[in-house]
Amino acid sequence: DARVTQTPRHKVTEMGQEVTMRCQPILGHNTVFWYRQTMMQGLELLAYFRNRAPLDDSGMPKDRFSAEMPDATLATLKIQPSEPRDSAVYFCASGLVQFTGELFFGEGSRLTVL
Amino acid sequence: SQQGEEDPQALSIQEGENATMNCSYKTSINNLQWYRQNSGRGLVHLILIRSNEREKHSGRLRVTLDTSKKSSSLLITASRAADTASYFCATAQGAQKLVFGQGTRLTINP
């Protein structure tokens, strides 16, 4: 059963610490998206990749966030240093570049920054 | 900023009734999709409607699209307790970017 896998599922950290979230997209998918979900802002698109190349990261605070795809089976989202306002659920989703289709979401990484 | 705006923000109905949710968007789109999110889970794709389509059905789901009004509706017929979830519309901008609305929180009362 193909699925997007995200780790960790839950993370509690202190302000100023580095946080790395990982995502394993579905094998064969060539687009990867990072979204952040909060009660106030809803689902915000942070960044997305096509064939491992970043296409748009305009939704991401550049000074502290970075997103990469070291290889086709791994996407990472890093926050350094973390701040309390970064507390949210971070979702990774993957899909196919012929973009008339659906996105497949992981279960999310719930981040709490104290 | 979000592209889609769902209406209502919350909806509570009795089991067996129909539920209708609306979505408005601002710019031209390639397609519009609806997703469901159960509490504490990731989003799950429900249905996609292309910009040249006006209506689409999938099981108990019916989606309409009016590009002249930049709006879409999702109808769930004969609702069940398991339909309790948040429902999001998402618009595909250009060839790549999928932007979500704020969602409608649907509660089905037994």
Side-chain angles (χ1 to χ4, degrees):
Chain A
D1 186 22
R3 61 182 68 186
V4 175
T5 303
Q6 288 187 247
T7 57
R9 289 295 314 279
H10 302 275
K11 176 74 176 178
V12 179
T13 190
E14 293 191 345
M15 182 174 62
Q17 296 297 305
E18 178 179 302
V19 176
T20 298
M21 288 167 275
R22 294 176 173 80
C23 168
Q24 181 176 359
I26 291 174
L27 190 65
H29 283 185
N30 51 13
T31 57
V32 173
F33 295 71
W34 284 104
Y35 289 90
R36 175 170 66 183
Q37 186 175 39
T38 60
M39 289 294 293
M40 292 300 295
Q41 299 296 327
L43 273 160
E44 299 174 276
L45 177 62
L46 297 177
Y48 67 98
F49 294 77
R50 172 180 167 179
N51 294 327
R52 296 175 54 202
L55 288 192
D56 188 342
D57 60 2
S58 59
M60 206 164 62
K62 302 288 192 307
D63 56 338
R64 298 183 300 107
F65 284 60
S66 62
E68 296 180 342
M69 279 201 74
D71 60 61
T73 65
L74 177 64
T76 62
L77 180 67
K78 187 177 295 186
I79 308 173
Q80 167 64 17
S82 58
E83 297 180 1
R85 58 179 168 154
D86 301 329
S87 297
V89 181
Y90 291 81
F91 286 102
C92 174
S94 69
L96 289 172
V97 71
Q98 290 80 11
F99 199 77
T100 57
E102 63 192 276
L103 283 185
F104 294 79
F105 279 76
E107 296 287 11
S109 293
R110 180 176 295 275
L111 173 65
T112 303
V113 183
L114 303 175
Chain B
S1 63
Q2 299 301 315
Q3 163 76 316
E5 296 287 340
E6 283 92 342
D7 171 54
Q9 290 188 333
L11 179 62
S12 181
I13 61 174
Q14 295 300 119
E15 195 167 17
E17 293 180 341
N18 296 342
T20 299
M21 289 158 272
N22 303 297
C23 169
S24 60
Y25 57 92
K26 297 174 183 174
T27 63
S28 62
I29 60 172
N30 294 332
N31 66 65
L32 186 143
Q33 305 178 34
W34 286 90
Y35 287 75
R36 183 187 74 225
Q37 184 181 32
N38 289 91
S39 180
R41 307 296 298 275
L43 280 76
V44 175
H45 180 267
L46 293 176
I47 194 166
L48 177 152
I49 186 165
R50 292 181 173 79
S51 58
N52 61 354
E53 297 176 312
R54 292 296 168 259
E55 188 171 312
K56 200 160 183 181
H57 296 256
S58 176
R60 294 183 297 112
L61 304 180
R62 173 178 169 254
V63 169
T64 62
L65 179 64
D66 186 335
T67 53
S68 66
K69 295 181 180 178
K70 291 187 169 57
S71 68
S72 173
S73 68
L74 171 67
L75 169 67
I76 303 174
T77 60
S79 64
R80 305 167 182 169
D83 295 329
T84 294
S86 291
Y87 291 82
F88 295 86
C89 69
T91 50
Q93 301 176 1
Q96 305 289 336
K97 203 168 171 178
L98 196 61
V99 179
F100 286 83
Q102 295 280 19
T104 292
R105 193 170 58 255
L106 175 65
T107 302
I108 308 299
N109 302 303

